[in-house]
Amino acid sequence: MKQLWKNLSGSRSNENNRVYFSLTLLVGIIFSGISVLTPTVSGDMITAFTEDSSVGSRFLILYLFVGLCQIVFSLLDAYMGMQFQLRQKQMMRSNVFRTFSRKDSAGREKISSFVSYVNNDIPTLVEQYFSGTIDIIKCVFILVFSAISMLSVHWALALIVFAVSGLIILCPKTMRKKGGEARAAYSETLGKYNTSLQSFLDGLRIVKSYGYYNRANEIQNEANEQIAKKERVLIRCQMNVQSMTSFLQVGKTLLILIVGVVLISMEQMEIGGLITVVQLAQMIAAPAEVLAYMIHARNEVLPILDQYEEMTVEDVSDCGKSPLSDKVETIAVNDVAYAVDEVQILQGVTATFEAGKNYLISGESGSGKSTLMRLISQIGDLNYTGSITCNGENLRAVSAETYYQRVCPVFQEPYLFHATLEENILLGRSISKDTYATVIKKLNLEYLIERYQGQEITPEITEQISGGERQRVALARAMVGNPEVYLLDEVTSALDASNSEAIEEMLLHEDAMVIHICHKSNPKLLSLYNDKFIMSDGSLSII
């Protein structure tokens, strides 16, 4: 229960679901009590009519009133339950995205798994764990209320009903481990399927151009079969529980009828009492059987809940780090080495970059230029040796948030979000209209902004925007923030020669430190660089 209570809300959420959970549960318990009261009153009414019709009439009025209350609370219970699910799913989606968005990068497989988790696992988790807990508690209260009512009729029948119901409730424990493993396996396989599916959808042009249809369908069919295979295992676990509970339900009903007839013949019970017990037994049958299934379903999604807790762990990587409060005077790379799977990418790289100066780093593809830029940008895997400092302070000890307020990386592959062009440039920052308009004019983007004014940049629209236009949008994104340092990685590679030269020259006249990585330098602009470096086989040397 402590685990459930913790996950009903979070410090990162503006919406607290604990109160709504409690209200939904309270309404459910009241509805459970009224549901048990209805057959109890009906049994007493029949007994009263057989003895005195005037007393029976009063019981009839009471029965109608209780029935009306049952209808009202039935609707209220359904409404509260649906509203709780809606709020809980909304909060959980918000929490996992907020945490996941703190990552600086993620592979396609992880992204596809994340999307699958948000779209498939969170709704399942809310229904089977959070709402399931409410339903389990409601079922328990129905059983308790029914026990009290049945004991007032006869202890023997109550003993039969609750002994068998207890066995029904215990059934899911026999499948708990296997059911949890089956659910986790199904979720993992579904995530892999989504990854494969997304990769083919992103490459439809290649599929068509190379006649890859048959093989692509074969691969997806194999992945689809794996999903079906895992789902069959999951269904078998659920059917095993259902079979055991159905067998016990039939046995319970038979015992009640036999013992009830015997007790009536011995004049130890009225026929109205037997009707009450039969109705309550039928009422208990559903909660007991459903309770067994719900406990199994709740246990089944515990691995998904563990995954949610892992995904929403607060990122404390920036905690305790010092803010970068002073203007950036120097960025220094000191004997930096970096390797991936024993392949040396950088080795002994040393350089110092000063405020207000322009630096060019050129070299062949694969020489390590972009890796060096990524490390200075503090993006991705930072498992390097040596040190990178800003104003003499190791970047590992500097707050990333304050670092990026002054240092702006612009990467080779410009990315556009599913948002308007203005949103793609401003990124939620408070930028003055004059600054925004000046940058747009400098980069000659007025026509593009006007063309897609107010439109969200969908994948289809992105394809209509040229690589050069996207690079200029990415540069506008950096320039409106007026950074003290530009880290540029092949940012004009998609532009034609004249535009490339004009934009590079403009950047070199910005009041900032500029570190520009490019494959091939423009001879006309070399005089604008204070220092020029060349990267070769992971080593950096000044020209």
Side-chain angles (χ1 to χ4, degrees):
M1 196 69 183
K2 183 179 179 181
Q3 186 182 30
L4 177 140
W5 197 248
K6 181 182 73 172
N7 287 304
L8 281 171
S9 62
S11 59
R12 297 171 301 281
S13 175
N14 295 323
E15 195 173 7
N16 191 321
N17 262 10
R18 293 175 180 175
V19 173
Y20 209 90
F21 173 86
S22 301
L23 288 174
T24 304
L25 180 59
L26 178 62
V27 169
I29 291 172
I30 294 173
F31 173 60
S32 300
I34 294 174
S35 297
V36 172
L37 185 60
T38 302
T40 303
V41 171
S42 69
D44 291 340
M45 180 181 66
I46 290 172
T47 300
F49 267 116
T50 59
E51 295 177 354
D52 187 338
S53 59
S54 61
V55 175
S57 299
R58 288 196 292 271
F59 269 100
L60 177 59
I61 295 171
L62 177 61
Y63 176 76
L64 293 174
F65 174 74
V66 172
L68 179 62
C69 290
Q70 185 176 10
I71 293 171
V72 171
F73 274 90
S74 172
L75 295 173
L76 185 60
D77 178 63
Y79 174 79
M80 293 287 287
M82 288 187 289
Q83 286 297 312
F84 169 73
Q85 284 193 25
L86 186 152
R87 293 162 66 101
Q88 185 66 17
K89 284 186 283 190
Q90 180 183 4
M91 184 204 71
M92 293 180 74
R93 286 194 298 263
S94 177
N95 281 350
V96 294
F97 178 76
R98 184 174 287 107
T99 305
F100 195 82
S101 65
R102 301 289 294 182
K103 301 177 183 291
D104 54 42
S105 61
R108 178 172 291 276
E109 185 171 352
K110 285 188 177 180
I111 291 173
S112 294
S113 296
F114 174 78
V115 172
S116 175
Y117 185 88
V118 170
N119 291 332
N120 300 303
D121 292 343
I122 284 182
T124 300
L125 188 57
V126 170
E127 290 168 14
Q128 294 185 205
Y129 182 80
F130 293 98
S131 291
T133 299
I134 292 177
D135 291 336
I136 288 170
I137 295 173
K138 283 160 56 179
C139 287
V140 169
F141 269 91
I142 287 177
L143 295 176
V144 171
F145 293 147
S146 298
I148 295 170
S149 181
M150 284 186 180
L151 284 171
S152 66
V153 176
H154 200 282
W155 64 268
L157 293 177
L159 181 63
I160 292 170
V161 170
F162 287 98
V164 178
S165 297
L167 291 174
I168 292 172
I169 293 169
L170 291 173
C171 284
K173 289 191 174 181
T174 61
M175 299 299 295
R176 175 172 181 170
K177 183 178 179 181
K178 191 172 181 181
E181 291 172 349
R183 170 60 65 179
Y186 172 71
S187 180
E188 180 183 356
T189 305
L190 189 61
K192 289 180 178 178
Y193 174 82
N194 287 336
T195 301
S196 176
L197 179 63
Q198 187 66 51
S199 71
F200 285 121
L201 294 178
D202 288 344
L204 285 178
R205 289 181 176 179
I206 304 298
V207 172
K208 181 176 181 179
S209 302
Y210 288 81
Y212 194 35
Y213 307 108
N214 293 335
R215 180 57 182 159
N217 274 278
E218 183 181 329
I219 292 172
Q220 281 305 103
N221 285 337
E222 289 174 0
N224 198 10
E225 177 58 34
Q226 287 300 311
I227 292 177
K229 183 178 179 181
K230 299 299 181 184
E231 193 168 7
R232 288 188 197 103
V233 175
L234 192 61
I235 291 171
R236 279 200 296 271
C237 292
Q238 295 168 349
M239 289 303 297
N240 286 339
V241 173
Q242 189 173 345
S243 298
M244 288 186 283
T245 55
S246 297
F247 176 80
L248 289 170
Q249 289 288 11
V250 172
K252 180 182 68 176
T253 303
L254 185 61
L255 276 173
I256 290 172
L257 291 173
I258 294 172
V259 174
V261 170
V262 171
L263 290 173
I264 290 174
S265 65
M266 296 171 62
E267 297 185 351
Q268 293 187 15
M269 186 176 69
E270 299 290 339
I271 190 169
L274 179 58
I275 292 173
T276 297
V277 172
V278 170
Q279 289 185 79
L280 288 175
Q282 290 176 343
M283 179 176 293
I284 291 173
E289 190 169 343
V290 170
L291 185 58
Y293 173 77
M294 286 190 297
I295 292 173
H296 173 73
R298 188 178 185 275
N299 294 336
E300 183 182 89
V301 297
L302 289 178
I304 300 178
L305 180 64
D306 293 338
Q307 190 177 354
Y308 172 76
E309 292 182 343
E310 290 172 7
M311 292 172 73
T312 53
V313 170
E314 187 77 38
D315 182 10
V316 295
S317 59
D318 225 26
C319 294
K321 293 187 176 182
S322 57
L324 190 63
S325 55
D326 297 328
K327 181 179 178 181
V328 176
E329 296 295 341
T330 61
I331 291 177
V333 181
N334 307 300
D335 195 30
V336 167
Y338 178 80
V340 177
D341 296 332
E342 299 183 357
V343 176
Q344 199 70 35
I345 309 297
L346 299 177
Q347 46 188 345
V349 175
T350 298
T352 300
F353 308 102
E354 298 178 358
K357 293 185 177 181
N358 300 323
Y359 299 91
L360 176 69
I361 301 176
S362 59
E364 297 296 325
S365 296
S367 60
K369 305 186 303 299
S370 294
T371 298
L372 176 61
M373 180 65 73
R374 182 177 60 76
L375 296 183
I376 296 175
S377 302
Q378 294 290 284
I379 298 290
D381 177 28
L382 300 177
N383 190 26
Y384 59 88
T385 59
S387 66
I388 303 175
T389 63
C390 182
N391 294 347
E393 191 169 0
N394 196 312
L395 284 185
R396 297 186 190 277
V398 172
S399 161
E401 184 177 352
T402 58
Y403 183 66
Y404 293 128
Q405 288 172 1
R406 300 174 180 274
V407 179
C408 186
V410 184
F411 302 106
Q412 181 177 1
E413 294 295 332
Y415 185 80
L416 298 183
F417 295 101
H418 189 93
T420 63
L421 278 178
E422 184 179 21
E423 179 69 20
N424 266 282
I425 293 169
L426 297 178
L427 298 181
R429 295 169 292 180
S430 298
I431 307 295
S432 71
K433 290 183 178 180
D434 289 342
T435 300
Y436 176 76
T438 300
V439 170
I440 296 302
K441 187 174 181 179
K442 277 185 178 181
L443 292 168
N444 188 27
L445 284 171
E446 296 102 325
Y447 74 94
L448 196 69
I449 300 294
E450 185 178 346
R451 181 189 300 169
Y452 297 111
Q453 185 68 43
Q455 293 186 54
E456 292 187 330
I457 306 304
T458 63
E460 291 76 18
I461 291 179
T462 300
E463 288 188 1
Q464 299 169 17
I465 301 175
S466 71
E469 289 170 332
R470 277 178 262 171
Q471 283 191 328
R472 281 183 284 147
V473 170
L475 283 169
R477 182 183 290 162
M479 292 175 66
V480 294
N482 194 27
E484 297 172 10
V485 179
Y486 285 98
L487 303 177
L488 309 175
D489 186 4
E490 301 278 9
V491 294
T492 60
S493 60
L495 296 169
D496 59 71
S498 60
N499 274 319
S500 175
E501 182 178 325
I503 288 177
E504 184 178 346
E505 184 175 2
M506 178 195 65
L507 288 167
L508 295 175
H509 283 97
E510 286 287 298
D511 183 21
M513 177 198 300
V514 176
I515 304 174
H516 183 201
I517 283 179
C518 66
H519 175 63
K520 188 176 181 180
S521 58
N522 187 334
K524 296 179 182 179
L525 301 176
L526 289 179
S527 61
L528 297 177
Y529 289 96
N530 297 93
D531 285 315
K532 295 170 280 294
F533 297 88
I534 188 165
M535 181 77 77
S536 178
D537 296 328
S539 297
L540 187 69
S541 55
I542 194 165
I543 302 175

